[in-house]
Amino acid sequence: MILFPAIDLKGGQCVRLKLGDMQQATVYNTDPAAQAKSFEDQGFEWLHVVDLDGAFAGHSANGDAVEAILKATDNPVQLGGGIRTLDHIEAWLSRGLRRVILGTVAVRNPDLVIEACRKFPGHVAVGIDAKGGKVAVEGWAEASELGIIELAKKFEGAGVSAIIYTDIDRDGILAGINWSSTLALADAVSIPVIASGGLASIEDIKRMLQPDAQKLEGAISGRALYDGRIDPAEALALIKASKARETA
């Protein structure tokens, strides 16, 4: 079980959005690389990064900030936002990125995702962002008619390393993870699922460690960490204790 701290990039700064709205952005750090190092120093073992501008533009827009993050931390980094071609994927992986997250292109061109998994095994994740139960694309700005599980099943057996599932209706408002929808997705596919959107308190960490949620790879936390609603030491200690019980 992994707790992924999130760095969302807008204009080269570390921000958090409210309900996926680019006009409702709170700046938490003007130095994303320093934020990445801080998360590593706190004991986190992974980093989740989103190029928000890139998600809307359809190409990488905060490349300098991402490269600075990669240089600042030894932790593996997964990146989403504006990665739409095999060349984009190869370029980022060659710079030391551990995992790319494909969102819009997973809806628009699922064959590209399957090809990417073949070319870069273990390094491709799919981001499924849902609003009102339907998959959203283009930086959450457009809704599709695809259901969450319907899209996920397209990639069964393709070699996708993880599905990052975000409930946009809860993102950035500290409403708690949508556990019913997240666990239903995890039950429906064999691909590991990472919960995102709304993680609000240490109670969500405890919920994540319950037996029925053990199938998840982990969860992503943003605003709750930045606002101090979750103490990193306490959260990581709970996860470590849970792992120890599993292996005992």
Side-chain angles (χ1 to χ4, degrees):
M1 189 66 69
I2 302 167
L3 184 59
F4 297 80
I7 293 180
D8 288 359
L9 298 169
K10 181 176 185 285
Q13 298 180 318
C14 178
V15 307
R16 297 301 296 170
L17 302 185
K18 184 176 180 180
L19 300 172
D21 185 350
M22 287 287 273
Q23 303 307 312
Q24 298 190 69
T26 303
V27 177
Y28 281 98
N29 198 326
T30 58
D31 187 343
Q35 186 63 59
K37 186 66 171 70
S38 174
F39 281 140
E40 180 182 335
D41 291 343
Q42 289 167 29
F44 291 101
E45 297 178 352
W46 264 87
L47 185 61
H48 175 79
V49 179
V50 179
D51 181 347
L52 293 171
D53 300 304
F56 282 91
H59 56 80
S60 295
N62 284 283
D64 290 346
V66 176
E67 291 203 39
I69 286 169
L70 290 171
K71 290 175 182 175
T73 180
D74 291 327
N75 281 347
V77 177
Q78 61 184 23
L79 171 69
I83 303 173
R84 307 280 169 89
T85 70
L86 290 173
D87 285 344
H88 285 165
I89 294 166
E90 185 169 19
W92 274 121
L93 293 177
S94 70
R95 293 174 192 156
L97 198 72
R98 179 67 60 88
R99 192 152 69 184
V100 296
I101 304 166
L102 305 180
T104 294
V105 74
V107 177
R108 305 277 198 236
N109 186 2
D111 287 343
L112 185 144
V113 177
I114 294 166
E115 174 67 7
C117 290
R118 188 189 66 78
K119 288 190 70 173
F120 312 107
H123 297 291
V124 177
V126 166
I128 297 181
D129 306 325
K131 192 171 183 64
K134 296 294 185 180
V135 177
V137 294
E138 304 294 346
W140 300 353
E142 296 179 21
S144 75
E145 291 303 312
L146 267 179
I148 301 156
I149 291 172
E150 180 186 0
L151 177 59
K153 283 185 174 292
K154 291 178 183 284
F155 304 110
E156 279 280 38
V160 170
S161 60
I163 290 173
I164 293 91
Y165 169 59
T166 304
D167 185 335
I168 300 169
D169 295 318
R170 292 173 180 247
D171 190 69
I173 61 170
L174 302 166
I177 295 285
N178 184 339
W179 291 109
S180 60
S181 182
T182 302
L183 295 178
L185 174 60
D187 282 334
V189 295
S190 60
I191 305 165
V193 172
I194 300 169
S196 175
L199 195 146
S201 70
I202 203 71
E203 294 307 313
D204 277 322
I205 303 297
K206 294 174 181 176
R207 177 67 185 87
M208 183 175 77
L209 298 173
Q210 293 301 306
D212 66 334
Q214 290 294 305
K215 63 185 76 126
L216 300 176
E217 181 173 299
I220 293 166
S221 180
R223 190 177 292 270
L225 284 174
Y226 291 107
D227 285 349
R229 294 169 186 265
I230 291 178
D231 176 63
E234 182 182 5
L236 293 172
L238 285 170
I239 294 169
K240 184 176 180 181
S242 175
K243 288 179 181 176
R245 287 194 297 271
E246 289 174 31
T247 56

